[in-house]
Amino acid sequence: MSLHGGRRTKDEQDAFVVELGYALFSAVFAAGVVFGAVVGPALLFDLPGAVESLLWQGGKWLAVVLLAARVISVLMRFRRAAQPSQPGRTNPDS
């Protein structure tokens, strides 16, 4: 919602779309790096079946949790930044 309680302006919608794209891209990248770091030893070395399975499962779940946490944190930070510091007053930079 916009700061005045009505519908979002086109600029606000565009800013949200850009922020959502950044959140998704950075989350997928971070999750991929973590997944690769956790699963990498299972691909490089001949490990026992239980250890290899544990690394695959752990990497998968850690990547999913990191992806969700990253998207949520970026969007929450964007939401907080959209709030005026002094309601009812104009921004001195405007």
Side-chain angles (χ1 to χ4, degrees), residues 30-31 34-35 38 56-68:
V34 168
F35 180 78
V38 172
W56 278 95
Q57 291 296 318
K60 178 178 65 174
W61 287 108
L62 191 59
V64 168
V65 168
L66 178 65
L67 189 131

Side-chain angles (χ1 to χ4, degrees), residues 4-91:
H4 50 79
R7 294 180 57 116
R8 289 183 178 152
T9 65
K10 181 68 173 154
D11 289 339
E12 290 170 334
Q13 290 173 355
D14 291 345
F16 181 75
V17 168
V18 168
E19 198 69 19
L20 180 61
Y22 166 72
L24 291 173
F25 180 80
S26 66
V28 168
F29 180 78
V33 168
V34 168
F35 180 78
V38 172
V39 176
L43 297 172
L44 294 175
F45 304 112
D46 189 23
L47 299 172
V51 174
E52 190 171 316
S53 176
L54 180 68
L55 287 175
W56 278 95
Q57 291 296 318
K60 178 178 65 174
W61 287 108
L62 191 59
V64 168
V65 168
L66 178 65
L67 189 131
R70 178 68 181 157
V71 169
I72 290 169
S73 70
V74 168
L75 293 180
M76 292 300 289
R77 186 176 60 224
F78 174 73
R79 183 176 169 207
R80 263 186 270 129
Q83 300 297 321
S85 59
Q86 298 175 337
R89 295 190 180 185
T90 59
N91 187 352

